[in-house]
Amino acid sequence: MKNNIGRILSLVIGLALMTVGFSAVAAAEAGRAHRRQKAETYGALTDAVEYLEAVADDLALAVAEDLPLPALVSLCHHADLASAALERVPLQGEGGQALRRFAVICGEVGSSMADGLARGSFHTPDYGLLIRLRDCAVELTREVLPAAVSSREGKVDDAMLSGCLARLGRLYYDGTASDVWVPGGYALLQKGVRLDGAAALEAAEEILPGAYLTPAEVPEERDRFCFTAENVCLTVSVVEGKLLSMICDRRMQGEGEPIGETAALAAAENAVAAYVGAAAELISAEMGEGCYYFTFAPRSDGLLCLSERITVGIEGRTGKLCVWDAESYYRYRTPLRVMPGNLLTPEAAAERFGAGTAVTLCTAVRADGRELYCYRLGEGDDALYLNAVTGRVEEIL
């Protein structure tokens, strides 16, 4: 019996030792996995820093040398590599989202501009956006990301990284220039189905059926098709066949009594809904040479986008569309609009104009083509515009 007790005790002790051994092995394996994850995160982050440094160099070259195509192609490549590297880093919070979005935006901007140059695009280069991205990339690669990495220990300082990414969030949303220039550049016409000449003509004929349209000779404008007919000129975009502009001879009026401003406004609103599809509010209305002219502007999260205005002309007797101008809408409309965080408050803007005044936050275009955030006082041609960042009075188109 004593032998049995001894064997039982030996078995229990052996099992206990095995359990302790397995626990030690599991703990060691967990430690190795943790160190491996830290090493992988560190490697991915240092890769991202390297690629973002290249992005900063590409942006600087693109700005300094008037958009050379190789620099834009290189920008796309390095931005894509940075995005892929950041996907392997467990970034959290607003700062982490801003960092990933920054890399994605750099790639999209480089891709759209490179594609436009390769096709002989008529788009105006948005140097303000490039300069802002360049400055942000320099800030990132010189101060923010290197401070988050402890090279001595070969690991990521999580607390430092979190603080730096929060700083990036502020940097991205506040902007790096004292005078914020809203991104523009026909962003809505960069992606989509590209039409050939026959498909574009079909789209134009749906807009003006029976007009006997023929293509116009405008080889330098490769992002749009222009069609003409007797007393008619019409342009549609290569991407998706959007109606950009149209004008008909205003002398070709119908017979009978004028349809009235209410009916003309309804026809104009129907045209905006049909050809743009975005909600827009009436900014101005006038009549001249037998036509009613209406100007509309969309709103975006409470922001009145005067830079994206659409002008519609309706024949006063027939109620037909005779004038359409959506160039500004497609030039300045962008899905990447981010409100800066350093705007003047409405109260501060109102004080600049005078106590008791009511102001409207809007986007507007300056005489040099730059789109700004402004506070507007008044209506129509008599309105005053205050730069929402600098507080200066601006001359607005």
Side-chain angles (χ1 to χ4, degrees):
M1 182 161 180
K2 290 182 178 180
N3 292 334
N4 291 335
I5 292 174
R7 285 195 293 270
I8 292 173
L9 288 174
S10 298
L11 180 60
V12 170
I13 292 172
L15 290 173
L17 291 173
M18 290 176 62
T19 301
V20 172
F22 285 137
S23 298
V25 170
E29 181 61 31
R32 285 193 293 271
H34 180 71
R35 290 191 294 274
R36 184 166 55 250
Q37 181 182 6
K38 279 286 189 180
E40 291 174 353
T41 298
Y42 175 76
L45 188 58
T46 53
D47 286 346
V49 171
E50 178 182 349
Y51 297 137
L52 287 171
E53 287 176 347
V55 165
D57 292 340
D58 295 333
L59 286 166
L61 184 62
V63 171
E65 298 190 8
D66 196 22
L67 295 178
L69 185 58
L72 295 175
V73 173
S74 180
L75 171 63
C76 302
H77 176 64
H78 290 133
D80 289 343
L81 291 175
S83 299
L86 290 171
E87 289 296 327
R88 308 199 308 272
V89 181
L91 303 176
Q92 304 295 327
E94 182 182 276
Q97 295 173 6
L99 181 58
R100 288 197 181 98
R101 184 165 58 252
F102 173 77
V104 170
I105 289 175
C106 285
E108 290 181 347
V109 168
S111 176
S112 64
M113 289 188 173
D115 183 60
L117 284 177
R119 294 185 288 104
S121 171
F122 68 97
H123 296 171
T124 302
D126 194 340
Y127 287 102
L129 176 58
L130 284 177
I131 291 172
R132 187 177 178 185
L133 292 177
R134 179 204 61 189
D135 292 345
C136 194
V138 170
E139 180 82 5
L140 275 172
T141 55
R142 289 184 180 177
E143 298 182 26
V144 177
L145 289 176
V149 181
S150 173
S151 58
R152 295 191 305 274
E153 300 180 15
K155 66 178 183 180
V156 178
D157 186 330
D158 292 332
M160 179 69 76
L161 177 61
S162 176
C164 288
L165 290 179
R167 180 183 174 191
L168 170 63
R170 294 192 298 272
L171 173 70
Y172 182 79
Y173 288 112
D174 291 351
T176 57
S178 60
D179 191 3
V180 174
W181 184 356
V182 180
Y186 298 89
L188 298 185
L189 302 181
Q190 297 295 336
K191 296 181 180 180
V193 178
R194 297 184 61 82
L195 306 184
D196 58 15
L201 177 58
E202 183 177 345
E205 288 176 338
E206 290 182 2
I207 298 169
L208 281 179
Y212 303 104
L213 297 170
T214 58
E217 294 292 335
V218 284
E220 69 280 2
E221 295 186 345
R222 300 178 184 176
D223 280 6
R224 64 181 64 193
F225 291 99
C226 181
F227 299 97
T228 60
E230 184 178 2
N231 304 310
V232 174
C233 182
L234 178 151
T235 61
V236 297
S237 64
V238 170
V239 175
E240 301 290 348
K242 301 291 187 181
L243 177 60
L244 301 179
S245 63
M246 184 187 76
I247 186 168
C248 300
D249 191 335
R250 301 187 186 94
R251 294 172 297 180
M252 298 179 63
Q253 304 295 321
E255 297 181 356
E257 296 298 322
I259 62 173
E261 184 174 340
T262 301
L265 176 58
E269 290 173 336
N270 290 337
V272 172
Y275 298 127
V276 172
E281 60 186 70
L282 181 66
I283 301 301
S284 66
E286 60 184 57
M287 185 177 183
E289 299 183 3
C291 291
Y292 293 96
Y293 297 96
F294 303 98
T295 301
F296 299 89
R299 281 191 179 269
S300 178
D301 295 328
L303 180 71
L304 182 61
C305 301
L306 294 177
S307 56
E308 302 169 15
R309 64 183 62 199
I310 303 164
T311 300
V312 184
I314 300 296
E315 290 179 348
R317 298 181 185 276
T318 65
K320 293 182 179 180
L321 182 67
C322 63
V323 172
W324 175 268
D325 183 1
E327 286 282 354
S328 293
Y329 176 83
Y330 286 109
R331 178 178 181 184
Y332 293 106
R333 190 73 171 174
T334 171
L336 304 178
R337 189 184 298 281
V338 179
M339 290 288 289
N342 57 343
L343 296 179
L344 295 173
T345 63
E347 294 77 15
E351 288 180 2
R352 303 289 180 96
F353 287 121
T357 58
V359 295
T360 302
L361 181 61
C362 64
T363 62
V365 179
R366 208 161 62 181
D368 60 1
R370 300 181 70 180
E371 184 187 23
L372 305 172
Y373 289 107
C374 293
Y375 282 103
R376 182 181 67 158
L377 172 66
E379 303 288 340
D381 296 336
D382 297 328
L384 298 176
Y385 295 86
L386 189 76
N387 190 307
V389 176
T390 66
R392 296 192 302 264
V393 174
E394 298 283 357
E395 292 291 334
I396 296 299
L397 292 177

